[in-house]
Amino acid sequence: EETKSWKKLINIAVSGAAGMISNHLLFKLASGEVFGPDQPIALKLLGSERSLQALEGVAMELEDSLFPLLREVSIGIDPYEVFQDAEWALLIGAKPRGPGMERADLLDINGQIFAEQGRALNAVASRNVKVIVVGNPCNTNALICMKNAPNIPAKNFHALTRLDENRAKCQLALKAGVFYDKVSNVTIWGNHSTTQVPDFLNAKIDGMPVIDVIKDRKWLEEEFTEKVQKRGGVLIQKWGRSSAASTAVSIVDAIRALITPTPKGDWFSTGVYTDGNPYGIAEGIVFSMPCRSNGDGDYVLVKDTEAELLAEKRCVAHLTGEGIAVCDLPGDTMLPGE
Ligand code: LMR
């Protein structure tokens, strides 16, 4: 008999489950390295008609691995079945871009998929399902999915920009000649596309501002930024297909970021709905921003430090000789609905 006390089984749905990214991801999920060594899981794998045979193969390999935490593997091609009671939905399945394409070229083809999957989640998933959209263009696909799932909180939908964050951290570490774990507070702003802004101004190395450690401002503004923006495309040129292993790793990082408390003073990037954001970013889109989590699966947006300092300054105007104090410190900076 089991001496260990297990947590309650959780249902994890993965689309594109017969694809390359999933082939890395599923075995990490099953091994316990994502949700923890006391967390049994059920994997619900969504494929397409075309990939059904391959999906059967994936399920066979998962079963043959005898993972103690993997209690169920089911496969299917109908999202209304596969997403039943899902507590996590990792939406990877979509047509990937090939050499010479931009991610936005996939808008039409992939948008339909995410509309349907949004409706399916709305109908059958757990009311608090956390959704991570990986298929490109992931920001807009996440928006489509969210809009088709009105009964699930908008804040539960994420577009994966953790891969960009990891890429940025790697480049900063290499340039500074330090190990990756010394780099923190890296924000990816905006779209998972070549217009994204990897923020080196607020990033830190060993707790110090990156700009005080890497003095080569031209490198930061030009080479670094472009390298991160174009990394996915360069990889496609080299491989002839898009990144898979590093994407799977970044999905693991993105999940862990939501289920473990964010280290003090740090944050992570994820693409989330902008309604109520404190940065002045247009509402109604999915935009990557800095977030923190207390580990319960939710997040709060990191406060805008500039706005906060200006508000504090207005509050103490009588002490700085700038007239009468006006206190308008904003309350919390959570998204509505929290
Ligand atoms: C990536 O960034 O590697 C993926 O989004 C695939 C792509 O199209 O670049």
Side-chain angles (χ1 to χ4, degrees):
E1 252 314 289
E2 290 167 352
T3 50
K4 224 169 152 167
S5 72
W6 302 96
K7 291 185 181 157
K8 193 175 149 285
L9 181 94
I10 55 171
N11 293 316
I12 305 165
V14 180
S15 78
M20 296 282 284
I21 297 170
S22 295
N23 207 254
H24 291 276
L25 178 65
L26 294 172
F27 291 83
K28 290 177 176 294
L29 292 169
S31 75
E33 69 179 274
V34 185
F35 288 95
D38 55 351
Q39 177 61 70
I41 63 168
L43 285 177
K44 295 159 160 279
L45 309 182
L46 181 69
S48 60
E49 215 152 324
R50 193 177 41 83
S51 69
L52 192 56
Q53 288 264 324
L55 197 53
E56 284 169 8
V58 171
M60 285 163 63
E61 281 213 277
L62 282 166
E63 288 164 357
D64 295 345
S65 300
L66 305 181
F67 288 113
L69 294 163
L70 182 58
R71 301 301 166 87
E72 281 172 49
V73 181
S74 54
I75 65 173
I77 59 171
D78 179 359
Y80 284 83
E81 272 170 28
V82 177
F83 292 168
Q84 187 73 48
D85 299 323
E87 286 150 284
W88 288 84
L90 312 175
L91 303 186
I92 299 167
K95 185 181 158 61
R97 66 173 168 149
M101 291 172 78
E102 283 305 327
R103 298 184 185 100
D105 297 338
L106 301 165
L107 263 176
D108 263 4
I109 310 172
N110 288 339
Q112 294 300 331
I113 299 176
F114 290 89
E116 200 210 0
Q117 293 184 0
R119 288 192 293 271
L121 288 168
N122 198 52
V124 300
S126 153
R127 296 302 78 187
N128 198 25
V129 61
K130 303 294 189 290
V131 184
I132 299 183
V133 176
V134 179
N136 281 314
C138 64
N139 292 57
T140 299
N141 288 341
L143 181 72
I144 295 171
C145 193
M146 185 196 95
K147 290 290 180 189
N148 281 278
N151 297 332
I152 295 166
K155 68 176 170 54
N156 289 20
F157 291 81
H158 297 260
L160 185 79
T161 53
R162 183 56 183 252
L163 179 56
D164 307 291
E165 179 184 322
N166 289 355
R167 288 167 171 166
K169 281 180 169 160
C170 170
Q171 293 306 316
L172 292 172
L174 288 173
K175 180 73 175 178
V178 300
F179 197 59
Y180 313 128
D181 64 351
K182 295 278 183 284
V183 187
S184 67
N185 302 82
V186 173
T187 310
I188 301 296
W189 294 97
N191 200 1
H192 176 59
S193 78
T194 51
T195 63
Q196 69 179 264
V197 178
D199 179 351
F200 57 82
L201 287 173
N202 293 297
K204 291 181 182 160
I205 292 176
D206 240 339
M208 291 187 296
V210 160
I211 47 175
D212 292 344
V213 179
I214 299 173
K215 296 275 167 52
D216 187 347
R217 189 63 181 241
K218 196 168 143 62
W219 180 86
L220 285 168
E221 278 172 15
E222 292 168 20
E223 276 178 62
F224 164 73
T225 301
E226 190 178 311
K227 211 163 202 164
V228 177
Q229 290 170 331
K230 298 198 172 155
R231 190 77 163 172
V234 170
L235 219 124
I236 290 168
Q237 296 293 345
K238 296 201 184 281
W239 266 118
R241 58 157 180 82
S242 53
S243 60
S246 57
T247 305
V249 169
S250 72
I251 296 169
V252 169
D253 290 339
I255 297 170
R256 280 215 198 105
L258 294 169
I259 61 173
T260 44
T262 311
K264 196 164 180 289
D266 201 1
W267 59 70
F268 56 88
S269 302
T270 177
V272 289
Y273 198 48
T274 50
D275 275 23
N277 80 82
Y279 305 112
I281 295 159
E283 304 217 322
I285 53 178
V286 170
F287 197 95
S288 182
M289 297 183 278
C291 297
R292 293 180 50 80
S293 177
N294 63 15
D296 62 358
D298 281 324
Y299 61 86
V300 291
L301 294 174
V302 171
K303 273 192 188 141
D304 181 343
T305 38
E306 183 191 34
E308 187 182 49
L309 284 170
L310 288 170
E312 286 181 13
K313 185 180 169 188
R314 286 191 293 276
C315 235
V316 296
H318 58 298
L319 302 175
T320 59
E322 290 175 18
I324 299 163
V326 182
C327 255
D328 58 352
L329 278 168
D332 70 54
T333 51
M334 292 184 181
L335 288 178
E338 288 196 270

